[in-house]
């Protein structure tokens, strides 16, 4: 499968560290440089807006999908290649998934986590076969990786599904991983348990 578009889940806030904003801008620039379209939540605020602006500044294409009920609170981005105002969050997620060939989760809050886990669940159920990645800026996703390991150790996730996504701190390295469709994804660095430190 050729990857032409990437759906990115990330925060509608900037976060507490400047690294997060820098990661969003760098990812946007890298998507544009590679000729990959961005599919995202359609807002002009937070990491979402900064990433979209970087793609557009690099001459790239940006498709936004925003529920009408959020168009005032999250502030619809007026400069996108395409902006789709939809009726619900369910429609938003379905359209983003349909328009994307791969998925990336950047740092974000509960909405980002929910989108990541839903798209990962769909992959495990065979609803899609598109690659998924974590942009692990400032080691943001270390606790999630530890939680996934705990779920495996406790028998809730099979070992074969312990690492369902690529994980890199660098946007370029993560995109390199996702573009290797059909090849095994490189696992993240192991997370040590307290007794191992």
């Amino acid at each position: 499968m050729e990857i032409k578009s990437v759906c990115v889940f990330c925060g509608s806030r900037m976060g507490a560290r400047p690294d997060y904003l820098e990661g969003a801008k760098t990812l946007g620039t890298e998507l544009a440089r590679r000729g990959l379209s961005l599919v995202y939540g359609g807002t002009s605020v937070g990491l979402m807006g900064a990433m979209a602006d970087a793609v557009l500044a690099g001459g790239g294409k940006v498709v936004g999908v925003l529920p009408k009920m959020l168009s005032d609170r999250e502030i619809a981005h007026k400069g996108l290649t395409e902006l789709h105002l939809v009726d619900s969050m369910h429609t938003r997620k379905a359209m983003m998934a349909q328009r994307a060939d791969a998925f990336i989760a950047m740092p974000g809050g509960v909405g980002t986590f929910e989108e990541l886990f839903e798209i990962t669940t769909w992959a495990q159920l065979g609803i899609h076969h598109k690659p998924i990645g974590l942009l692990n800026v400032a080691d943001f996703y270390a606790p999630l990786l530890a939680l996934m390991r705990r779920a495996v150790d406790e028998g809730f996730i099979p070992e074969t599904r312990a690492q369902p996504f690529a994980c890199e701190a660098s946007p370029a390295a993560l995109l390199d991983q996702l573009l290797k469709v059909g090849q095994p994804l490189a696992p993240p660095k192991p997370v040590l348990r307290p007794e191992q430190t």
Side-chain angles (χ1 to χ4, degrees), residues 19-42:
D19 308 41
Y20 301 143
L21 176 58
E22 186 59 33
K25 290 179 177 179
T26 303
L27 177 58
T29 300
E30 191 66 20
L31 288 169
R33 187 184 74 79
R34 295 174 185 240
L36 298 170
S37 298
L38 168 65
V39 179
Y40 86 119

Side-chain angles (χ1 to χ4, degrees), residues 5-83:
S5 60
V6 178
C7 177
V8 180
F9 308 127
C10 62
S12 59
R13 297 184 179 192
M14 289 295 186
R17 297 171 183 260
D19 308 41
Y20 301 143
L21 176 58
E22 186 59 33
K25 290 179 177 179
T26 303
L27 177 58
T29 300
E30 191 66 20
L31 288 169
R33 187 184 74 79
R34 295 174 185 240
L36 298 170
S37 298
L38 168 65
V39 179
Y40 86 119
T43 78
S44 61
V45 297
L47 298 182
M48 297 169 75
M51 177 183 54
D53 287 342
V55 175
L56 294 168
K61 177 180 176 182
V62 182
V63 177
V65 186
L66 181 65
K68 294 173 186 174
M69 65 179 181
L70 295 180
S71 60
D72 291 330
R73 188 191 330 173
E74 291 195 357
I75 311 174
H77 197 304
K78 304 297 185 185
L80 305 181
T81 313
E82 298 177 31
L83 176 61

Side-chain angles (χ1 to χ4, degrees), residues 101-116:
D101 301 319
F103 303 92
I104 290 175
M106 278 199 61
V110 173
T112 300
F113 304 153
E114 188 268 339
E115 290 167 326
L116 169 64

Side-chain angles (χ1 to χ4, degrees), residues 25-179:
K25 290 179 177 179
T26 303
L27 177 58
T29 300
E30 191 66 20
L31 288 169
R33 187 184 74 79
R34 295 174 185 240
L36 298 170
S37 298
L38 168 65
V39 179
Y40 86 119
T43 78
S44 61
V45 297
L47 298 182
M48 297 169 75
M51 177 183 54
D53 287 342
V55 175
L56 294 168
K61 177 180 176 182
V62 182
V63 177
V65 186
L66 181 65
K68 294 173 186 174
M69 65 179 181
L70 295 180
S71 60
D72 291 330
R73 188 191 330 173
E74 291 195 357
I75 311 174
H77 197 304
K78 304 297 185 185
L80 305 181
T81 313
E82 298 177 31
L83 176 61
H84 301 272
L85 294 178
V86 297
D87 292 329
S88 70
M89 292 293 287
H90 295 294
T91 305
R92 177 197 220 180
K93 291 184 291 183
M95 182 178 286
M96 289 195 301
Q98 189 270 328
R99 295 292 299 263
D101 301 319
F103 303 92
I104 290 175
M106 278 199 61
V110 173
T112 300
F113 304 153
E114 188 268 339
E115 290 167 326
L116 169 64
F117 274 109
E118 182 168 53
I119 211 67
T120 302
T121 300
W122 290 1
Q124 291 188 351
L125 294 174
I127 295 172
H128 75 82
H129 302 283
K130 302 172 183 180
I132 304 167
L134 301 179
L135 186 54
N136 197 23
V137 178
D139 219 19
F140 180 83
Y141 279 111
L144 173 61
L145 297 172
L147 178 62
M148 294 288 290
R149 184 70 250 170
R150 175 71 184 273
V152 171
D153 292 345
E154 296 297 328
F156 292 105
I157 297 176
E159 185 69 48
T160 55
R161 295 180 179 174
Q163 184 53 44
F165 20 66
C167 184
E168 296 285 350
S170 155
L174 182 59
L175 288 170
D176 286 344
Q177 285 289 321
L178 296 182
L179 292 171

